Amino acid sequence: MSTPNNIAAYVLRETAEGVRGAMATVGPDDLGEGNVLIRVTHSSVNYKDGLAATGRAKIAQTLPLIGGCNASGIVADPGESGLHAGQKVTVVGASLSEKHPGGFAEFVRVPSSWVAPLPEGMTTWESMAIGTAGLTAAMAIHKLEKNGGLHPSSGPVAVTGASGGSGTLAVAMLAKRGYDVTAITGTPSSEALLRQLGATQVLARPDVSARTRPLEHASWVGAIDTVGGDVLAWLLRTTLPGGSVAAFGNAGGNALNTTVLPFILRGINLLGVTVSFPDPAFRAQMWEQVAADLPHSVLEAVTQTIAFTELGGALEAIVENRTVGRVVVELSSEG
């Protein structure tokens, strides 16, 4: 299939106010290098996308660049990849919108090693309702179970930033696997949703501004932190002896101000989680896990779908903490 000459895209550019994103028309040469051409049907709005589009953090390493760190759609030209035309695929956990043109465009061209075929029966909309958020949450659960020895009978598990994209999906997956989940959120209005997803307890985000002791009352045997900063330090102080915290967020800051006491007195495990360029076999395993743990009904409950033309407002909302759950961008029909 030949690539159209006029492709609708959301492009990050340097402006007088800093880096900003805006709708534009691009050509085939703007799609970057790769041997697989995908017609994008859906993308998603992630916190990193919001940071990039509003200039709040330097995400794009070269400008101008098409934004969007996720993409899902239909293979238009498989090249020599071994994929086949018409196959449903997704690209998550690569360098889209950082070093390579991203998924906020009607087409994306990428190396075949970045492409993951969707599990049987999964739609491209579902894959973007999951996206980076769900795949990372699944990897965090995997680490807690495989590295931290966590299982449902171990005790309560906490999720911070529970009303966000990763947080809602983490709550749902943990509950589906039989865990006693405490959802911690700064959005009180999301309590009904979090309980619907399976949280047994919903707590307000802790006040981490005051000076505290290096160890506090221990409450959970495991935790998933989507926030970072002082919230992560608080989790470490409040995790039970031998417990584990899987961390992948930085909305609360990149710095971690803590002491060694949770580690040397309580034996806490801090497990880092990244979705960037996983081993293909492990990536496939995680997609199968989220397919099993996140049925369509759950994804519908936590996801809003917007038109491509509404993308700018959604990117502003996510960095201003006005987004609950996931946001999927519909670029074209899956059929």
Side-chain angles (χ1 to χ4, degrees), residues 110-127:
V110 294
S112 59
S113 60
W114 297 7
V115 181
L118 296 189
E120 185 69 28
M122 180 179 286
T123 66
T124 58
W125 179 89
E126 288 171 334
S127 73

Side-chain angles (χ1 to χ4, degrees), residues 10 12-15 17-21 46-61 63 250-251 253-254 311-322:
Y10 187 85
L12 308 174
R13 301 182 188 277
E14 187 70 59
T15 73
E17 291 77 34
V19 177
R20 295 290 185 274
N46 300 279
Y47 186 71
K48 184 168 74 171
D49 296 321
L51 293 176
T54 59
R56 286 173 168 81
K58 185 178 179 181
I59 304 297
Q61 302 301 303
L63 294 169
N250 67 346
N254 295 325
L311 177 58
L315 291 165
E316 288 281 355
I318 199 167
V319 294
E320 293 172 359
N321 297 317
R322 293 187 284 111

Side-chain angles (χ1 to χ4, degrees), residues 8-12 20-24 53 65-68 104-105 308 311-312 315:
Y10 187 85
V11 180
L12 308 174
R20 295 290 185 274
M23 297 298 297
L65 191 70
I66 298 170
F104 290 157
F308 198 14
L311 177 58
L315 291 165

Side-chain angles (χ1 to χ4, degrees), residues 186-233:
T187 308
S189 60
S190 66
E191 179 170 354
L193 172 62
L194 292 168
R195 291 192 180 277
Q196 177 186 341
L197 296 176
T200 54
Q201 182 176 210
V202 179
L203 300 179
R205 182 171 55 204
D207 179 5
V208 293
S209 60
R211 189 178 183 87
T212 60
R213 295 177 297 168
L215 292 174
E216 298 182 41
H217 175 72
S219 301
W220 10 82
V221 72
I224 292 178
D225 175 58
T226 76
V227 179
D230 290 339
V231 171
L232 173 56

